[in-house]
Amino acid sequence: MQQQFLMDIRKRLEQEGVPKSSAQALTGAAGELIDNIGQHAGTQCEALAAFDITPGNFWLAVGDSGVGALATYIAMPEVQSARQALDVAVVDHRSSTGDPARGLGFRQVLGALRSMDAALRVRSGDASLEIEGVGGSGNWVSREQQQLCGFVVSAHVRWGAQRS
């Protein structure tokens, strides 16, 4: 089912005129986000992945009702809050395992958005991180949020003359 979902994303992006390399990168990023659910959310959770494509726009949302970023990173001495856990995972690209070869999933996601006009939002616990602009050229904005179980990532990618 996941493979068909990802193939549908790629096919639809290419039909909308997105270059094959960009469609492949966005599809790979979606796959990484979905794979993260199985690796990090825990065994007893619900998950959702959805996308929509309209002329000039691609929306992607991936979320789960799992343990969340804080529970995943709480063993690290510098992590005391959901905000700090998001910083370590998303901004610093560090794995909760301490293995420097892991934790690179968000680097892949940001790489896929590098040459595009995109917005990315990551939420867990009572915090969110947001970035907008071509290739993540902006700074991460942190916001305090209402408590949320699990982990949610949403992206909006724009191309061509369409802007919304």
Side-chain angles (χ1 to χ4, degrees):
M1 187 185 281
Q2 176 181 339
Q3 196 63 22
Q4 185 62 51
F5 178 82
L6 295 173
M7 287 176 18
D8 288 348
I9 289 175
R10 185 172 178 176
K11 179 181 172 187
R12 294 269 317 275
L13 286 169
E14 289 177 7
Q15 287 173 342
E16 286 296 324
V18 173
K20 286 186 183 217
S21 61
S22 295
Q24 182 175 355
L26 289 169
T27 302
E32 172 64 26
L33 293 172
I34 294 167
D35 287 346
N36 280 347
I37 294 169
Q39 295 174 22
H40 302 291
T43 58
Q44 300 297 320
C45 76
E46 299 292 326
L48 168 76
F51 75 94
D52 191 24
I53 299 172
T54 62
N57 293 280
F58 169 58
W59 288 271
L60 174 70
V62 177
D64 65 67
S65 63
V67 299
L70 180 57
T72 302
Y73 284 88
I74 196 68
M76 292 183 167
E78 68 272 30
V79 175
Q80 313 272 308
S81 67
R83 157 95 195 273
Q84 291 167 333
L86 288 177
D87 283 341
V88 168
V90 178
V91 179
D92 298 341
H93 309 292
R94 290 174 46 206
S95 170
S96 61
T97 67
D99 181 350
R102 295 193 58 199
L104 304 176
F106 276 100
R107 185 172 287 162
Q108 177 184 348
V109 171
L110 291 169
L113 302 176
R114 183 171 293 128
S115 65
M116 308 191 102
D117 183 7
L120 181 70
R121 184 175 195 220
V122 182
R123 276 202 66 194
S124 187
D126 63 357
S128 71
L129 289 175
E130 301 171 26
I131 194 165
E132 187 166 353
V134 176
S137 59
N139 294 319
W140 286 101
V141 174
S142 176
R143 299 187 197 285
E144 214 174 289
Q145 301 286 336
Q146 187 70 8
Q147 185 68 27
L148 171 83
C149 291
F151 199 88
V152 177
V153 180
S154 58
H156 179 203
V157 179
R158 297 165 291 269
W159 63 88
Q162 291 286 105
R163 296 285 188 249
S164 62

